[in-house]
Amino acid sequence: MDAGPGDAYDALAYPGHSYPQTHPDRLATQATLFGMRPAPPSACRVLELGPGDGANLLPMALALPDSVFVGVDLAAGPVARGRAAITQLGTRNLTLVQGDVAQLPPEADGEFDYIIAHGLYSWVPPRVRDALMAVCAQRLAPHGVAYISYNAYPGSYLRDMTRDILRFHVEGVEEPAARVAGARALLETIAAAGQRSPYSAVLREHVGRLLERSDAALFHDDMAEVNTPVYFHELVEHAGRFGLQFLAEARLRDMQAPDLPETVATALAGLPDDVVVREQYLDFLVNRMFRQTLLCRGDVTVQRTLHGGLLNGLHVRGRLRHQDGSWVAANGAGARPQDAAFAAALERVARAWPQAAAFAELAAGLDPTAAVVLGESLLEAHAAGLVDLLVEPPAPARTPGERPRAGALARHQAAAGATAVTSLHHDTVALQGPLAATLVALLDGTRDRAALTVALDGCPGAPSTDALPAALDHALDELASLALLEA
């Protein structure tokens, strides 16, 4: 049985990335908020289906040495590249296997606490989607969580339209790079057409987004032979046939209704008390195009009422700046706290970055009622995207030490010439300028600032010898703020 596009993906190499919402800590947090008892990230088993070169699993494995990670992918080329990286980094708790989703190899035997299928469901034929659901049903631990991302209707009808247009334009062109070049040429023509009808304006806006994508993403995601979006309720119904149920979206903010006119909010409130119905109507309202859905076993009791008391045992993290009386995150989310305890908590969270602050510490000295109120405020801040809630957050260095050390994977990536590397938060972060990439590769913990200055002197992008020490201090501070340095 085919398990997806397989080695066709080698035709135009898809650069590996880490996907923050798939990290066991994020999955465990969502499961905890909804009443489950998930395995701790520090001692869990994770299976990823379709991991490519393992770029998503590798940083997890390095950060969580007592957990076990297995990836199964049909494509031989990416698996071989991933195995080479595993060997170079000496990673012992990650296994990448070339294999079929429908016939998992022995390395994937047993139960898993977390199963990840990112960028797979919509891009494989129906029989493989069935196999994916069967794996989740058969291999999930009793309180395990499955992450499945997919293209969603109604928003993906726009994606379907552009895909049809592009595939028509490059019909008969076989070579992948030539297909992408032809597609880009047509997209640029559409964007430049300047037609004023509302329909063409919507198309131009989407075309603009496509032009910002990498060649690999355009080829694999938007010009794929198979690309089957589904409505949310169809995904849930499919999961139900295999004894699975909807748990939540991977990001709590994706389950929140946007600011709505009162009449619309009233209509939404009048829907049946059914989470699936409500989520489907939210998709209609926002014209959702993509979902990251979490599933669990059907016999799990999911607690749908969230409250401030759920934050006990969790940690709060956020890169916040104070602006005009509000706390603002990099994504634009903001809050103007009126409550003194909430204001103090956000200030403490901001000071702790890139580390997290334990909720117990933020609520220290508050009576039980006030602690619950603070929990409610932080839960709302999490739902708005202002802060993250985490079960077992990593603890990167807040400031560079005497002999700074970057994460092993980031050093490996920078040494290979990457301009974007994986942080200890499991984010992909851009390195600004040639000096940053050279510096990250040098940060193995053996060099102090004097040695780093000598090593950098004369490198491309380095300032003059006199200016180098100050530039080095600034660069190290920036790397620490990106959660790239180990404590």
Coordinates of all heavy atoms in Angstrom, one line a residue, residues 209-268:
R209 N 0.1 35.3 -1.0 CA 0.6 34.5 0.1 C 1.4 33.3 -0.5 O 2.4 32.9 0.0 CB -0.5 33.9 0.9 CG -1.2 35.0 1.8 CD -2.1 34.4 2.8 NE -3.3 33.7 2.2 CZ -4.4 34.3 2.0 NH1 -4.6 35.6 2.3 NH2 -5.4 33.7 1.4
L210 N 0.9 32.8 -1.7 CA 1.7 31.7 -2.3 C 3.0 32.1 -2.8 O 4.0 31.3 -2.7 CB 0.8 31.1 -3.5 CG -0.5 30.4 -3.1 CD1 -1.1 29.8 -4.4 CD2 -0.2 29.2 -2.1
L211 N 3.1 33.3 -3.3 CA 4.4 33.8 -3.8 C 5.4 33.9 -2.7 O 6.6 33.9 -2.9 CB 4.2 35.1 -4.5 CG 3.6 35.0 -5.9 CD1 3.3 36.4 -6.5 CD2 4.6 34.3 -6.9
E212 N 5.0 34.1 -1.4 CA 5.9 34.2 -0.3 C 6.4 32.8 0.2 O 7.3 32.7 1.0 CB 5.2 34.9 0.9 CG 4.8 36.3 0.6 CD 4.0 37.0 1.7 OE1 3.7 36.2 2.7 OE2 3.8 38.2 1.6
R213 N 5.8 31.7 -0.3 CA 6.2 30.4 0.1 C 7.5 30.0 -0.6 O 7.8 30.4 -1.7 CB 5.1 29.4 -0.2 CG 3.7 29.8 0.4 CD 2.8 28.6 0.4 NE 3.2 27.8 1.6 CZ 2.6 26.6 1.8 NH1 1.7 26.1 1.0 NH2 3.0 25.9 2.9
S214 N 8.2 29.1 0.0 CA 9.4 28.5 -0.6 C 9.0 27.6 -1.8 O 7.9 27.2 -1.9 CB 10.2 27.7 0.4 OG 9.5 26.5 0.8
D215 N 10.0 27.4 -2.7 CA 9.7 26.5 -3.8 C 9.3 25.1 -3.3 O 8.3 24.5 -3.9 CB 11.0 26.3 -4.7 CG 11.3 27.6 -5.5 OD1 10.4 28.5 -5.5 OD2 12.3 27.6 -6.1
A216 N 9.9 24.6 -2.3 CA 9.6 23.3 -1.8 C 8.1 23.2 -1.2 O 7.4 22.3 -1.5 CB 10.5 22.8 -0.7
A217 N 7.8 24.3 -0.5 CA 6.4 24.3 0.1 C 5.4 24.4 -1.0 O 4.3 23.8 -1.0 CB 6.3 25.4 1.1
L218 N 5.6 25.3 -2.0 CA 4.7 25.4 -3.1 C 4.6 24.1 -3.9 O 3.4 23.7 -4.2 CB 5.2 26.5 -4.1 CG 4.3 26.9 -5.2 CD1 3.0 27.5 -4.7 CD2 5.0 27.9 -6.1
F219 N 5.7 23.4 -4.1 CA 5.6 22.2 -4.9 C 4.9 21.1 -4.1 O 4.0 20.4 -4.7 CB 7.1 21.7 -5.2 CG 7.2 20.4 -5.9 CD1 6.8 20.3 -7.3 CD2 7.7 19.3 -5.3 CE1 6.9 19.2 -8.0 CE2 7.8 18.1 -6.0 CZ 7.4 18.0 -7.3
H220 N 5.2 20.9 -2.9 CA 4.7 19.8 -2.1 C 3.3 20.0 -1.5 O 2.5 19.1 -1.4 CB 5.7 19.4 -1.0 CG 7.0 18.9 -1.5 ND1 7.1 17.8 -2.3 CD2 8.3 19.3 -1.2 CE1 8.4 17.6 -2.6 NE2 9.1 18.5 -1.9
D221 N 3.0 21.3 -1.2 CA 1.8 21.5 -0.5 C 0.7 22.0 -1.5 O -0.5 21.7 -1.3 CB 2.0 22.6 0.6 CG 2.8 22.1 1.7 OD1 3.2 20.9 1.7 OD2 3.2 22.9 2.6
D222 N 1.0 22.8 -2.4 CA 0.0 23.5 -3.3 C -0.1 22.9 -4.7 O -1.0 23.3 -5.4 CB 0.3 25.0 -3.3 CG 0.1 25.6 -1.9 OD1 -1.0 25.8 -1.5 OD2 1.1 25.9 -1.3
M223 N 0.9 22.1 -5.1 CA 0.8 21.5 -6.4 C 0.9 20.0 -6.3 O 1.1 19.3 -7.3 CB 2.0 22.0 -7.2 CG 2.0 23.5 -7.4 SD 3.5 24.1 -8.3 CE 3.2 23.4 -9.9
A224 N 0.6 19.4 -5.2 CA 0.7 18.0 -4.9 C -0.3 17.2 -5.8 O -1.4 17.7 -6.1 CB 0.5 17.6 -3.5
E225 N 0.0 16.0 -6.1 CA -0.9 15.1 -6.9 C -2.1 14.9 -6.1 O -3.2 14.8 -6.6 CB -0.2 13.8 -7.2 CG -0.9 12.9 -8.2 CD -0.9 13.5 -9.6 OE1 0.0 14.3 -10.0 OE2 -1.9 13.3 -10.4
V226 N -2.0 14.7 -4.8 CA -3.1 14.5 -3.9 C -3.1 15.6 -2.9 O -2.1 15.9 -2.2 CB -3.0 13.1 -3.1 CG1 -4.2 13.0 -2.2 CG2 -3.0 12.0 -4.1
N227 N -4.3 16.3 -2.8 CA -4.4 17.3 -1.8 C -5.9 17.4 -1.5 O -6.7 18.0 -2.3 CB -3.9 18.7 -2.2 CG -3.9 19.7 -1.1 OD1 -4.6 19.6 -0.2 ND2 -3.0 20.7 -1.3
T228 N -6.4 16.8 -0.4 CA -7.8 16.6 -0.1 C -8.2 17.3 1.2 O -8.0 16.7 2.2 CB -8.2 15.1 -0.1 OG1 -7.6 14.4 -1.2 CG2 -9.7 14.9 0.0
P229 N -8.6 18.5 1.1 CA -9.1 19.2 2.3 C -10.4 18.5 2.8 O -11.1 17.8 2.0 CB -9.4 20.6 1.9 CG -8.6 20.8 0.6 CD -8.6 19.4 0.0
V230 N -10.8 18.7 4.0 CA -12.0 18.1 4.6 C -12.6 19.2 5.5 O -11.9 20.0 6.0 CB -11.9 16.8 5.3 CG1 -11.4 15.7 4.4 CG2 -10.9 17.0 6.5
Y231 N -13.9 19.1 5.7 CA -14.6 19.9 6.7 C -14.2 19.3 8.1 O -14.0 18.1 8.2 CB -16.1 19.9 6.6 CG -16.6 20.8 5.5 CD1 -16.9 20.3 4.2 CD2 -16.7 22.2 5.7 CE1 -17.4 21.2 3.2 CE2 -17.2 23.0 4.8 CZ -17.5 22.5 3.5 OH -17.9 23.4 2.5
F232 N -14.2 20.1 9.1 CA -13.8 19.6 10.4 C -14.7 18.5 10.9 O -14.2 17.5 11.4 CB -13.9 20.8 11.4 CG -13.8 20.4 12.9 CD1 -12.7 20.0 13.4 CD2 -15.0 20.5 13.6 CE1 -12.6 19.6 14.7 CE2 -14.9 20.1 15.0 CZ -13.8 19.7 15.5
H233 N -16.0 18.6 10.7 CA -16.9 17.6 11.1 C -16.6 16.3 10.4 O -16.9 15.2 11.0 CB -18.4 18.0 11.0 CG -18.9 18.0 9.6 ND1 -19.4 16.9 8.9 CD2 -18.9 19.0 8.6 CE1 -19.8 17.2 7.7 NE2 -19.5 18.5 7.5
E234 N -16.1 16.3 9.2 CA -15.8 15.1 8.5 C -14.6 14.4 9.1 O -14.5 13.2 9.2 CB -15.5 15.4 7.0 CG -16.8 15.9 6.2 CD -16.5 16.3 4.8 OE1 -15.4 16.9 4.6 OE2 -17.3 16.1 3.9
L235 N -13.6 15.2 9.5 CA -12.4 14.7 10.2 C -12.8 14.0 11.5 O -12.4 12.9 11.8 CB -11.4 15.8 10.4 CG -10.0 15.5 11.0 CD1 -10.1 15.2 12.5 CD2 -9.3 14.3 10.3
V236 N -13.7 14.6 12.2 CA -14.1 14.1 13.5 C -14.9 12.8 13.3 O -14.8 11.8 14.0 CB -15.0 15.1 14.3 CG1 -15.5 14.5 15.6 CG2 -14.1 16.3 14.6
E237 N -15.8 12.8 12.3 CA -16.6 11.6 12.0 C -15.6 10.5 11.5 O -15.8 9.3 11.9 CB -17.6 11.9 10.8 CG -18.6 10.8 10.5 CD -18.0 9.8 9.6 OE1 -17.2 10.1 8.7 OE2 -18.4 8.6 9.7
H238 N -14.6 10.8 10.8 CA -13.7 9.8 10.3 C -12.9 9.2 11.6 O -12.8 7.9 11.7 CB -12.6 10.4 9.4 CG -11.7 9.4 8.7 ND1 -10.5 9.8 8.1 CD2 -11.8 8.0 8.6 CE1 -9.9 8.7 7.7 NE2 -10.7 7.6 7.9
A239 N -12.5 10.0 12.5 CA -11.9 9.6 13.7 C -12.8 8.7 14.5 O -12.4 7.7 15.1 CB -11.4 10.8 14.5
G240 N -14.1 9.1 14.6 CA -15.0 8.3 15.4 C -15.2 6.9 14.9 O -15.5 6.0 15.7
R241 N -15.1 6.7 13.6 CA -15.2 5.3 13.1 C -14.1 4.4 13.6 O -14.3 3.2 13.5 CB -15.2 5.4 11.5 CG -16.3 6.1 10.9 CD -16.6 5.7 9.5 NE -15.5 5.7 8.6 CZ -15.2 6.7 7.8 NH1 -15.9 7.8 7.8 NH2 -14.1 6.7 7.0
F242 N -13.0 5.0 14.1 CA -11.9 4.2 14.6 C -11.9 4.3 16.2 O -10.8 3.9 16.7 CB -10.6 4.7 14.0 CG -10.5 4.3 12.5 CD1 -11.1 5.2 11.6 CD2 -9.9 3.2 12.1 CE1 -11.0 4.9 10.2 CE2 -9.8 2.9 10.8 CZ -10.4 3.7 9.8
G243 N -12.9 4.8 16.8 CA -12.9 4.8 18.2 C -12.2 6.0 18.8 O -11.8 5.9 20.0
L244 N -12.0 7.0 18.1 CA -11.3 8.2 18.5 C -12.3 9.4 18.6 O -13.3 9.4 18.0 CB -10.2 8.6 17.5 CG -9.1 7.5 17.3 CD1 -8.3 7.9 16.1 CD2 -8.2 7.4 18.5
Q245 N -11.9 10.4 19.4 CA -12.8 11.5 19.6 C -12.0 12.8 19.5 O -10.7 12.8 19.8 CB -13.6 11.5 20.9 CG -12.7 11.6 22.2 CD -13.5 11.7 23.5 OE1 -14.5 12.4 23.5 NE2 -13.0 11.0 24.5
F246 N -12.6 13.9 19.3 CA -12.0 15.2 19.2 C -11.7 15.6 20.7 O -12.5 15.6 21.6 CB -13.0 16.2 18.6 CG -12.5 17.7 18.7 CD1 -11.4 18.1 18.1 CD2 -13.3 18.6 19.4 CE1 -10.9 19.4 18.2 CE2 -12.8 19.9 19.5 CZ -11.7 20.3 18.9
L247 N -10.4 16.0 20.9 CA -10.0 16.6 22.2 C -10.0 18.1 22.1 O -10.7 18.7 22.9 CB -8.6 16.0 22.5 CG -7.9 16.7 23.7 CD1 -8.7 16.4 25.0 CD2 -6.5 16.1 23.9
A248 N -9.2 18.7 21.2 CA -9.1 20.1 21.2 C -8.3 20.5 19.9 O -7.7 19.6 19.2 CB -8.4 20.7 22.4
E249 N -8.1 21.7 19.6 CA -7.1 22.2 18.7 C -5.8 22.3 19.4 O -5.7 22.5 20.6 CB -7.5 23.5 18.0 CG -8.6 23.4 17.0 CD -8.3 22.4 15.9 OE1 -7.5 22.8 15.0 OE2 -8.9 21.3 15.8
A250 N -4.7 22.2 18.6 CA -3.4 22.2 19.2 C -3.1 23.6 19.9 O -2.3 23.7 20.8 CB -2.3 22.0 18.2
R251 N -3.7 24.7 19.4 CA -3.6 26.0 20.0 C -5.0 26.4 20.5 O -6.0 26.4 19.8 CB -3.2 27.0 19.0 CG -1.8 26.7 18.4 CD -1.3 27.9 17.6 NE -2.2 28.4 16.6 CZ -2.0 29.4 15.7 NH1 -0.8 30.0 15.8 NH2 -2.9 29.7 14.8
L252 N -5.1 26.7 21.8 CA -6.3 27.1 22.4 C -6.9 28.3 21.7 O -8.2 28.4 21.6 CB -6.1 27.4 23.9 CG -7.4 27.5 24.7 CD1 -8.3 26.3 24.7 CD2 -7.0 27.9 26.2
R253 N -6.1 29.2 21.2 CA -6.7 30.4 20.6 C -7.4 30.1 19.3 O -8.2 30.9 18.9 CB -5.6 31.4 20.3 CG -4.5 31.1 19.4 CD -3.5 32.3 19.3 NE -2.4 32.1 18.4 CZ -1.2 31.6 18.9 NH1 -1.1 31.3 20.2 NH2 -0.2 31.5 18.1
D254 N -7.1 28.9 18.7 CA -7.8 28.6 17.5 C -9.3 28.1 17.8 O -10.0 27.9 16.8 CB -7.1 27.5 16.7 CG -5.8 28.0 16.1 OD1 -5.7 29.2 15.9 OD2 -4.9 27.2 15.8
M255 N -9.6 27.9 19.1 CA -10.9 27.5 19.4 C -11.8 28.7 20.0 O -12.9 28.5 20.4 CB -10.8 26.4 20.5 CG -10.1 25.2 20.1 SD -9.9 24.0 21.4 CE -11.6 23.4 21.6
Q256 N -11.2 29.9 19.9 CA -11.9 31.0 20.4 C -12.6 31.8 19.3 O -12.0 31.9 18.2 CB -10.9 32.0 21.1 CG -10.0 31.3 22.2 CD -10.8 30.7 23.2 OE1 -11.6 31.4 23.9 NE2 -10.7 29.4 23.5
A257 N -13.8 32.2 19.6 CA -14.5 33.0 18.6 C -13.9 34.4 18.4 O -13.4 35.0 19.4 CB -16.0 33.2 19.0
P258 N -13.8 34.9 17.2 CA -13.2 36.2 17.0 C -14.2 37.3 17.6 O -15.3 36.9 18.0 CB -13.1 36.3 15.5 CG -14.1 35.4 15.0 CD -14.2 34.3 16.0
D259 N -13.7 38.5 17.6 CA -14.7 39.6 18.0 C -15.8 39.6 17.0 O -15.6 39.7 15.8 CB -13.9 40.9 18.0 CG -12.9 41.1 19.1 OD1 -13.1 40.4 20.1 OD2 -11.9 41.8 18.9
L260 N -17.0 39.5 17.5 CA -18.2 39.3 16.7 C -19.2 40.4 17.0 O -19.4 40.8 18.2 CB -18.8 38.0 16.9 CG -18.0 36.7 16.5 CD1 -18.6 35.5 17.0 CD2 -17.7 36.7 15.0
P261 N -20.0 40.8 16.0 CA -21.2 41.7 16.3 C -22.1 40.9 17.3 O -22.2 39.7 17.3 CB -21.8 41.9 15.0 CG -20.7 41.6 14.0 CD -19.8 40.6 14.6
E262 N -22.8 41.7 18.1 CA -23.7 41.1 19.1 C -24.7 40.1 18.5 O -25.0 39.0 19.0 CB -24.4 42.2 19.9 CG -25.3 41.7 21.0 CD -26.0 42.8 21.8 OE1 -25.6 43.9 21.6 OE2 -26.8 42.5 22.6
T263 N -25.2 40.4 17.3 CA -26.2 39.6 16.7 C -25.6 38.2 16.3 O -26.2 37.2 16.4 CB -26.8 40.2 15.5 OG1 -25.8 40.6 14.6 CG2 -27.7 41.4 15.8
V264 N -24.3 38.3 15.8 CA -23.7 37.1 15.4 C -23.3 36.2 16.6 O -23.5 35.0 16.6 CB -22.4 37.4 14.6 CG1 -21.6 36.1 14.2 CG2 -22.7 38.2 13.4
A265 N -22.8 36.9 17.7 CA -22.5 36.2 18.9 C -23.8 35.5 19.5 O -23.7 34.4 20.0 CB -21.9 37.1 19.9
T266 N -24.9 36.2 19.4 CA -26.1 35.6 19.9 C -26.5 34.4 19.1 O -26.9 33.3 19.7 CB -27.3 36.6 19.9 OG1 -26.9 37.8 20.7 CG2 -28.6 36.0 20.3
A267 N -26.4 34.5 17.8 CA -26.7 33.3 16.9 C -25.8 32.1 17.2 O -26.2 31.0 17.3 CB -26.6 33.7 15.5
L268 N -24.5 32.4 17.5 CA -23.5 31.4 17.8 C -23.9 30.7 19.1 O -23.8 29.5 19.3 CB -22.1 31.9 17.8 CG -20.9 31.0 17.8 CD1 -20.9 30.1 16.6 CD2 -19.6 31.7 18.0

